[in-house]
Amino acid sequence: MDKYMKKQILLCLLGCLVAGVVRATEVPQVANVMARQITSLNGAWNYIVDVQEEGYYDYRMNPTRWGFFCNAKPQKPEDLIEYDFDKAPTMKVPGDWCTQDQRLFFYEGTVWFKKSFQVSKPTDHRKLLYFGAVNYDCRVWVNGHEAGHHVGGFTPFNYDVTDWLKEGENVVIVKVDNKRKAEAVPTQIFDWWNYGGITRDVLLVDVEPVYVENYSLQLASMEGRRLSFSVRLNKAEAGRQVTLNIPELKIKKTLTTDADGIATISMKAKPQLWSPENPKLYKVEIGCGETTLNDEIGFRTIETRGKQLLLNGQPIFLKGISIHEEKPFGGGRANCTEDAHTLLTWAKELGCNFVRLAHYPHNEYAIREAERMGMLVWSEIPCYWTIAWTNKDTYANAERQLTDMIRRDQNRANIIIWSIANETPHSAQRDQFLGNLAQYARSLDSTRLISMAMEVTGASNYKNRLQDNMNKYVDVVSFNQYIGWYRDVNDAPKMEWEIPYDKPVIVSEFGGGAKYGLHGAKNQRWTEEFQENLYIENLAMLEKIDGLAGMTPWILKDFRSPRRVLDGIQDYYNRKGVVSDKGEKKKAFFVLKQWYDKR
Ligand code: GCU
């Protein structure tokens, strides 16, 4: 018996002492988690960097039963345990490892996290372990029991771990791997930093055996002002009572669930409508059993009529900006209301009423803060560039991310557009993949608009033509263009546009790079003057587009990207922000502000 087997058996004995082998079930994400009875597991977590996944595979690359998830401790002096979480350093959760441990700035691989927490064993209630997001590939164990495996770095997931919790000290261990893969979503290359880690909240959620899993409350239509409410329980149980209370609208309803545990109702109401000028939110109480869920919900309608975009029945122009989910200063994943408030305040100062949250679902704090600040939102899943269109698992992954994005934010009045992709190469396989996704999104939510960021396909003799088979699946035709930066510098004034679709048009990206404080001639790359001039020329050019209903220039703030390596200028930042990574406003900021102030 060789040395590895001896060690493994030792570890096994120790491991099994600690753990059973029962598998937990992943349960559908619980909506409005912050309104539930929660215990935060945020804070300092021990971590172990495991480049070769020693903690998960044996030396034959087979998953081992005596991995780091056993959290084994030597029982006798001669015991060999080659890891110890409690001696390992700690980092803050939620957070990314790239900006918390200098050794991990560029690191893409596996890191193990461990957190001990106290629990008083619930009586008949259930305990769900909730993750706001973990980038990218995540495995979870509670007291040595494997809870589950999740992929996708930007959407929530939760496990019912009740059966494994014990009175007193409990341990959760999370294996996080952010390695990029061709079949993943996003795929291998993308122009943002691959921040690894447990990037959003970790919560223990206390729920009754039967609880409200999710609900939707919307203004059904402008005509006759009807609200439609539907609620889904975690159990397919008929005859359960659910109450809906909207005190300010004097609405007090009791619904009874059907055999699927679902109840719906439509009711007359005359709410003030949510809009950027008046981001009115109503206190809503949803009761089931002993539990009441409080929420704040706004009511509005969004629709298209030909090339017009109508908010609450009135034409609207979307004065937008694109934003990555990065802290306002110095990089790192943003993950709280304060981060969002700072970024959105800059957008407000720009004169924006709309933000494109690129290229993945941002955290719920940001969405809710935008809603309170009267900021309309475009929310997107990371089907970015060359996705593996024919891979069934890739499609299932994309569909899962779309489901989780919509299920988390379906009650946010400020979200008006679900985007299913960005800059994807044309092919029949792509069309099928994205066509299915678009129809699926519509089946989940028929009250919002579907779009995607397309690319200009034909450009010659200053004639730019947008031709994309996906036009028939989207409500709003959006495209990215980089005239003045990646092509046709100083030719913007000569450009003409042909967009042969009777739908509103959003220019979802345009822009150019500038290093804050670098000044020079307007044809000198990287100067603020070059970027300023590019904005002046692009805005004049885009104004001529028939059906232009909005834009989200690329981008609010310089953001980290491993693709931006020009020393002294980029230094691993994409410099297309109109604000620098230190919050300094570039000249282009004021060009865009002036243009928006006039609209
Ligand atoms: C693309 C892409 C962005 C990228 C930008 C750029 O259009 O969608 O993610 O950052 O161009 O090149 O700066």
Side-chain angles (χ1 to χ4, degrees):
M1 185 182 296
D2 64 22
K3 65 178 174 23
Y4 275 98
M5 285 316 284
K6 248 197 238 108
K7 184 176 96 177
Q8 301 308 0
I9 291 173
L10 262 172
L11 285 176
C12 159
L13 292 172
L14 293 163
C16 291
L17 284 175
V18 179
V21 287
V22 190
R23 220 172 229 290
T25 52
E26 179 169 1
V27 290
Q29 78 164 270
V30 284
N32 192 9
V33 71
M34 299 313 279
R36 298 184 188 252
Q37 213 184 318
I38 53 174
T39 309
S40 172
L41 298 185
N42 292 349
W45 288 52
N46 300 95
Y47 68 100
I48 297 175
V49 180
D50 185 9
V51 178
Q52 294 195 4
E53 302 190 290
E54 161 73 7
Y56 190 74
Y57 295 104
D58 65 21
Y59 77 125
R60 293 280 182 255
M61 278 307 281
N62 303 315
T64 170
R65 293 181 52 197
W66 308 288
F68 292 1
F69 47 81
C70 296
N71 193 30
K73 300 287 180 187
Q75 305 297 315
K76 300 193 296 304
E78 68 274 17
D79 285 351
L80 173 60
I81 310 285
E82 293 185 284
Y83 68 93
D84 186 342
F85 280 106
D86 299 319
K87 291 208 177 67
T90 65
M91 77 167 72
K92 197 173 120 344
V93 166
D96 61 271
W97 60 60
C98 309
T99 54
Q100 294 195 68
D101 181 332
Q102 278 199 328
R103 304 171 304 164
L104 304 180
F105 182 59
F106 288 106
Y107 181 65
E108 295 182 307
T110 284
V111 175
W112 293 82
F113 291 85
K114 178 253 176 186
K115 180 78 172 174
S116 299
F117 59 100
Q118 298 295 323
V119 161
S120 55
K121 195 70 165 86
T123 48
D124 63 345
H125 280 208
R126 308 297 299 176
K127 290 277 189 196
L128 310 182
L129 181 59
Y130 175 99
F131 294 86
V134 176
N135 190 46
Y136 176 81
D137 185 314
C138 162
R139 289 180 183 276
V140 179
W141 291 265
V142 172
N143 296 335
H145 300 277
E146 181 160 9
H149 177 208
H150 182 270
V151 294
F154 305 100
T155 45
F157 55 100
N158 41 228
Y159 304 108
D160 183 334
V161 296
T162 317
D163 303 336
W164 294 312
L165 295 176
K166 53 186 168 39
E167 203 63 39
E169 174 146 322
N170 293 264
V171 171
V172 55
I173 290 181
V174 181
K175 173 184 182 296
V176 183
D177 182 358
N178 73 334
K179 279 196 288 299
R180 289 168 288 114
K181 298 195 174 102
E183 68 279 12
V185 180
T187 183
Q188 270 160 318
I189 54 169
F190 42 85
D191 192 26
W192 66 82
W193 206 264
N194 187 20
Y195 291 113
I198 304 175
T199 51
R200 295 181 191 159
D201 294 335
V202 184
L203 308 168
L204 208 54
V205 188
D206 183 290
V207 289
E208 292 182 62
V210 178
Y211 57 88
V212 170
E213 183 183 282
N214 208 329
Y215 53 90
S216 157
L217 179 60
Q218 308 252 6
L219 182 61
S221 70
M222 285 298 282
E223 287 74 49
R225 298 288 171 103
R226 297 193 70 77
L227 298 187
S228 65
F229 175 64
S230 70
V231 59
R232 169 191 289 274
L233 302 181
N234 65 314
K235 289 245 169 72
E237 265 189 39
R240 285 269 174 177
Q241 302 248 310
V242 176
T243 58
L244 170 68
N245 193 1
I246 314 177
E248 230 184 310
L249 294 174
K250 301 192 176 28
I251 287 177
K252 211 172 174 46
K253 301 284 181 188
T254 301
L255 299 78
T256 306
T257 57
D258 63 17
D260 298 325
I262 293 173
T264 61
I265 189 169
S266 155
M267 67 218 99
K268 265 192 164 311
K270 277 203 172 315
Q272 278 182 51
L273 299 177
W274 185 100
S275 68
E277 300 74 29
N278 175 34
K280 171 66 184 172
L281 298 175
Y282 285 87
K283 291 203 175 332
V284 174
E285 297 156 3
I286 296 159
C288 178
E290 314 294 307
T291 307
T292 299
L293 280 179
N294 294 308
D295 203 345
E296 290 194 317
I297 296 181
F299 302 107
R300 57 95 188 95
T301 62
I302 185 75
E303 58 199 306
T304 65
R305 194 181 299 150
K307 289 185 181 250
Q308 273 194 321
L309 208 51
L310 306 176
L311 178 71
N312 299 330
Q314 299 305 315
I316 184 167
F317 184 88
L318 300 174
K319 302 188 275 187
I321 192 83
S322 296
I323 301 182
H324 259 300
E325 187 190 50
E326 220 174 52
K327 287 190 178 303
F329 304 102
R333 271 280 166 243
N335 50 33
C336 61
T337 300
E338 294 66 37
D339 291 340
H341 187 77
T342 305
L343 296 169
L344 294 167
T345 301
W346 290 337
K348 277 266 177 195
E349 286 169 13
L350 258 177
C352 293
N353 59 9
F354 178 57
V355 288
R356 176 188 178 199
L357 302 181
H359 292 288
Y360 37 78
H362 288 208
N363 64 79
E364 193 173 347
Y365 296 110
I367 304 283
R368 286 184 180 263
E369 184 61 8
E371 188 178 45
R372 283 186 289 269
M373 293 173 73
M375 201 61 91
L376 292 158
V377 164
W378 157 311
S379 187
E380 182 166 298
I381 55 168
C383 287
Y384 181 96
W385 291 348
T386 50
I387 294 289
W389 307 115
T390 57
N391 182 318
K392 297 233 167 329
D393 297 336
T394 302
Y395 181 80
N397 179 351
E399 194 182 79
R400 168 75 199 262
Q401 295 191 38
L402 184 62
T403 310
D404 293 337
M405 171 174 79
I406 295 176
R407 286 291 175 250
R408 189 195 73 185
D409 297 332
Q410 61 190 5
N411 291 308
R412 304 282 71 77
N414 60 328
I415 298 189
I416 54 171
I417 296 176
W418 300 122
S419 168
I420 56 171
N422 179 76
E423 292 190 352
T424 50
H426 293 209
S427 74
Q429 293 79 4
R430 179 214 59 165
D431 294 357
Q432 186 173 12
F433 187 110
L434 293 181
N436 291 344
L437 273 186
Q439 282 159 331
Y440 178 71
R442 226 176 272 294
S443 73
L444 292 184
D445 178 6
S446 59
T447 69
R448 289 181 176 82
L449 308 175
I450 306 294
S451 192
M452 58 183 267
M454 298 173 177
E455 291 178 293
V456 177
T457 38
S460 60
N461 306 329
Y462 309 116
K463 282 198 178 14
N464 295 275
R465 186 178 164 74
L466 184 74
Q467 181 69 49
D468 194 315
N469 295 341
M470 287 301 297
N471 76 81
K472 54 183 179 288
Y473 294 102
V474 297
D475 302 297
V476 174
V477 169
S478 310
F479 67 93
N480 301 349
Q481 63 82 26
Y482 280 91
I483 289 165
W485 185 254
Y486 289 127
R487 65 179 182 107
D488 305 305
V489 175
N490 299 327
D491 285 344
K494 305 182 196 123
M495 292 296 177
E496 290 165 28
W497 292 89
E498 193 191 320
I499 301 165
Y501 309 118
D502 184 29
K503 296 184 177 181
V505 174
I506 291 178
V507 177
S508 37
E509 288 183 34
F510 75 87
K515 173 101 170 123
Y516 176 78
L518 186 62
H519 293 287
K522 67 177 184 180
N523 66 347
Q524 179 57 54
R525 288 263 178 184
W526 304 114
T527 60
E528 289 194 44
E529 287 72 20
F530 187 105
Q531 189 190 42
E532 175 188 37
N533 181 56
L534 180 149
Y535 267 75
I536 292 168
E537 293 193 345
N538 263 261
L539 290 167
M541 169 188 74
L542 297 174
E543 205 151 37
K544 292 183 281 181
I545 291 180
D546 173 30
L548 184 68
M551 56 174 65
T552 50
W554 194 259
I555 185 166
L556 177 68
K557 182 184 79 64
D558 291 355
F559 62 95
R560 282 258 178 230
S561 169
R563 302 172 63 80
R564 309 297 169 172
V565 298
L566 182 56
D567 285 299
I569 297 279
Q570 294 176 318
D571 300 318
Y572 294 109
Y573 274 101
N574 181 313
R575 294 286 181 200
K576 294 192 180 70
V578 292
V579 174
S580 76
D581 57 294
K582 297 186 182 60
E584 303 138 322
K585 296 182 175 70
K586 304 176 190 177
K587 283 186 165 184
F589 181 102
F590 302 100
V591 172
L592 185 57
K593 175 176 173 44
Q594 201 183 24
W595 197 83
Y596 279 160
D597 289 350
K598 271 194 307 189
R599 283 209 77 104

